[in-house]
Amino acid sequence: MQISSNFDSGNILVQRLDSPETIELAIRRDTNCEFMQWFHFRLQTTAGLAHRLAITNIKDTSYMEGWTGYYAVASYDREEWFRVPTRVENDQLIIEHTPDYDAVFYAYFAPYSYERHLDLVHSAQFSPYCELSVLGQSVQGRDMHLLTVGEQDDGKRKIWVIARQHPGETMAEWFMEGFIERLLDEDDALSRKLRDEAVFYLVPNMNPDGAVNGNLRGNYAGRNLNREWLEPSMEASPEVFLVRQAMHATGVDLLLDIHGDEALPYNFIAACEGIPAYDERMAGLEQLFKSAYVAATPDFQTEHGYAIDKPGEANLSMASNYVGQHFGCLALTLEMPFKDNASLPDYEFGWSPARSMKLAQAIFHPIATVLPQLR
Ligand code: GEM
Ligand code: ZN
């Protein structure tokens, strides 16, 4: 037997590899910071044997409540990721699986590789509606890609969609793949209407270094990008600095910040109720957006979500709060589950890349619903 993780988004430390029933592993912390929860590794073994893999250090992970009701994902071909029997026992995460083949990958959620990211943004430029540009470089020098969709015109609404500030939340980039696919679809009437009335600025991966290094939340310098929006720096958080700078150049009428949540088994939206600029207009737009999203898909709901910030108590270093306050616009954080949508469970795949892509394609309805009132 052999376990490896020296590949894109790999993260595991091997403690014991005595037998298929005695495998002990540990999750490595994010680069240059304390966050940890993301894992992704490869097992070379003998098909047909029962395996017991114990991740022994989940007590040190960032969101212990994320392990309750959680099932790890596995894949033989890195295309289809299915759920495997997983439980917490004596503060260890126990994965029990009898692989059908000699080689199998395990991960916290279906990985989204940097190669797939490069394919996504470069194939998008084939569309006559889409322009691919580079805002600058990340800490480790990876390009920060921006897709601009729709003719730029002062009369059009400016809609920014950013994703994967937290690199382990890979469902966010699966969402972006689905979003881009529909937005560039020449036969889609709603996309045509939105392209006519708005300009879209899309950043499918805000944190390419964190993604490649197998981080849950940090960038390579160890910064939580969703706490850098008040005072980003080119030295430690260039990813936010560059995107924020571009937003200031274009203006923002709507921000969607796409994330994943470790604990809550639901899709939900967090708004910016606690910012000083929050008013009845914003509250009305937020409700209109949420109601339209509920109408568009049963995979979205408004019953479960984060506690609402008290008035004036929002953390303005977070993207949605900073943008909502600075631009006086609707700014929403969308959260998808690492587990599943408990209201509409899929016992074989849980929440998945395909469902993330479908959720993205459903968001076009609430965007179209609020668009006329964004300014
Ligand atoms: C959150 S996302 C920010 C939540 N936004 C508001 N307005 N409450 C974070 O950054 O901690 C969770 C996540 O990372 O997905
Ligand atoms: Zn996040």
Side-chain angles (χ1 to χ4, degrees), residues 80-215:
E80 182 182 87
W81 290 84
F82 52 91
R83 300 281 173 165
V84 288
T86 308
R87 67 180 191 279
V88 175
E89 186 180 281
N90 302 325
D91 283 338
Q92 297 189 354
L93 190 76
I94 308 299
I95 299 168
E96 291 179 318
H97 184 219
T98 301
D100 294 336
Y101 300 91
D102 294 341
V104 53
F105 288 84
Y106 297 97
Y108 186 35
F109 194 83
Y112 197 100
S113 72
Y114 189 60
E115 289 302 307
R116 190 177 186 110
H117 165 79
L118 291 175
D119 292 345
L120 175 67
V121 296
H122 289 89
S123 54
Q125 69 177 332
F126 290 152
S127 164
Y129 316 114
C130 183
E131 177 193 310
L132 168 60
S133 57
V134 171
L135 296 172
Q137 279 67 45
S138 65
V139 173
Q140 283 191 302
R142 292 181 175 89
D143 292 336
M144 290 298 293
H145 296 112
L146 171 70
L147 294 177
T148 303
V149 180
E151 282 300 314
Q152 302 197 56
D153 176 305
D154 285 350
K156 295 170 81 172
R157 307 300 189 273
K158 314 290 191 298
I159 298 177
W160 277 82
V161 188
I162 65 175
R164 221 174 162 185
Q165 289 195 81
H166 299 133
E169 298 164 11
T170 56
M171 62 289 285
E173 191 155 13
W174 287 110
F175 180 98
M176 292 304 284
E177 182 171 315
F179 189 93
I180 292 162
E181 180 185 303
R182 181 169 187 187
L183 188 58
L184 301 182
D185 181 344
E186 303 199 44
D187 301 319
D188 187 303
L190 191 50
S191 301
R192 288 178 57 189
K193 183 174 188 300
L194 289 176
R195 291 195 305 266
D196 286 346
E197 295 176 5
V199 187
F200 288 83
Y201 301 94
L202 312 176
V203 182
N205 188 342
M206 281 287 299
N207 193 341
D209 299 347
V212 170
N213 282 281
N215 288 357

Side-chain angles (χ1 to χ4, degrees), residues 165-166 169 216-217 226 258-262 306 333 335:
Q165 289 195 81
H166 299 133
E169 298 164 11
L216 173 74
R217 280 174 90 77
N226 207 24
I258 315 299
H259 286 254
D261 184 85
E262 291 78 5
Y306 295 146
T333 302
E335 297 285 349

